[in-house]
Amino acid sequence: MTQEHGSGAEGPARRAGDKGRYGRLSRERVLLAALEVVDRDGLSGLSMRKLGAELDVEAMALYRYAPSKDALLDGLVEVFCLQVDRELEQGPAGPDGAAGSPDWRTCLHRIARATLGVALRHPHVVPLLATRLLATPLARRPLPVLRTDERVLALLHAGGFSASDTVRIHRKFTAWLLGYLLVELRAMDDDPSETDPAFRLGLHRIPAGELPRLRATAVRLVDRGGPDELAAGLDALLFGYPD
């Protein structure tokens, strides 16, 4: 793990204001720095103190941009969604994920693939997509997070679906995508330095008598399904709806 800048007694003193090594802070700069910390050290490595050290300011200077640890975690989900937006804007379908696309299924596949791409770059943020949804009421979620729902709902509405089918398809799509990300990126290695798959996974810790199928299949569970399995599962869920 990278050492924190100035976290020890011999490190440089923290600045009293919110101007650090990268200039004056902004909410975007704070959230991007938090994302870098999480990418490097995981969610357990994120704290206001460490983030302040990363930006070369006092931790107290951060509270005007993220008033609590929960707000900081919600901000990470916000940055994740903004990066998905950027992925979609760069593609042929335009910023709404629908314009120029031949049908609503293609649009949903594009959204799913873009989300998977961002998740692979920032795997430690993926658990927050679930936990922050459980902890943060709908109306209190950041606007970029709400836009992810708006995009899918607007797409289905434009496709001519009834209100009930729109909700049903939105629920299926959201549940499959989130579940797929969590399974695809789940922690598996017990000892990453081991070259032997059985020892790397720590299969000796799994009782063969009680969990024979899990132990026998664990080595294959490590393999990722990638975008192809994501797409196949999505097609299966949407089977039966008219194009």
Side-chain angles (χ1 to χ4, degrees), residues 78 163 203 214 230:
E78 178 181 348
L203 295 189
L214 177 60
L230 173 64

Side-chain angles (χ1 to χ4, degrees), residues 41-63:
D41 300 333
L43 285 171
S44 62
L46 179 64
S47 67
M48 288 297 196
R49 182 179 62 83
K50 178 174 281 191
L51 185 55
E54 189 80 10
L55 291 163
D56 198 29
V57 298
E58 285 187 344
M60 289 301 297
L62 302 175
Y63 285 95

Side-chain angles (χ1 to χ4, degrees), residues 51-233:
L51 185 55
E54 189 80 10
L55 291 163
D56 198 29
V57 298
E58 285 187 344
M60 289 301 297
L62 302 175
Y63 285 95
R64 71 185 69 178
Y65 306 102
S68 67
K69 179 69 175 290
D70 283 345
L72 192 59
L73 296 179
D74 284 335
L76 288 173
V77 178
E78 178 181 348
V79 172
F80 185 99
C81 292
L82 286 170
Q83 292 199 8
V84 173
D85 286 346
R86 197 167 298 124
E87 291 279 332
L88 293 171
E89 288 170 358
Q90 293 172 353
D96 61 357
S101 295
D103 57 55
W104 61 275
R105 293 176 188 272
T106 299
C107 296
L108 290 181
H109 276 281
R110 287 194 65 250
I111 295 169
R113 286 196 304 270
T115 306
L116 176 61
V118 175
L120 291 174
R121 293 200 300 271
H122 307 295
H124 295 304
V125 179
V126 170
L128 294 177
L129 303 180
T131 59
R132 297 316 300 164
L133 288 179
L134 294 173
T136 309
L138 178 69
R140 294 184 181 272
R141 295 169 195 165
L143 186 58
V145 179
L146 295 176
R147 285 199 191 104
T148 62
D149 292 307
E150 176 69 17
R151 178 186 294 112
V152 175
L153 292 171
L155 173 65
L156 297 173
H157 176 77
F161 287 99
S162 66
S164 59
D165 278 345
T166 293
V167 170
R168 191 174 294 114
I169 296 172
H170 172 268
R171 183 178 290 121
K172 287 183 176 181
F173 174 77
T174 304
W176 170 247
L177 179 55
L178 179 57
Y180 189 86
L181 295 179
L182 292 174
V183 171
E184 185 83 336
L185 298 174
R186 59 186 165 178
M188 294 293 287
D189 287 347
D190 181 60
D191 186 352
S193 64
E194 279 285 354
T195 56
D196 183 283
F199 285 106
R200 188 176 70 251
L201 292 173
L203 295 189
H204 58 286
R205 303 182 189 278
I206 300 177
E210 295 181 46
L211 305 168
R213 297 318 313 156
L214 177 60
R215 180 160 171 164
T217 311
V219 173
R220 291 185 179 274
L221 290 176
V222 174
D223 297 333
R224 290 181 173 175
D228 289 342
E229 287 193 12
L230 173 64

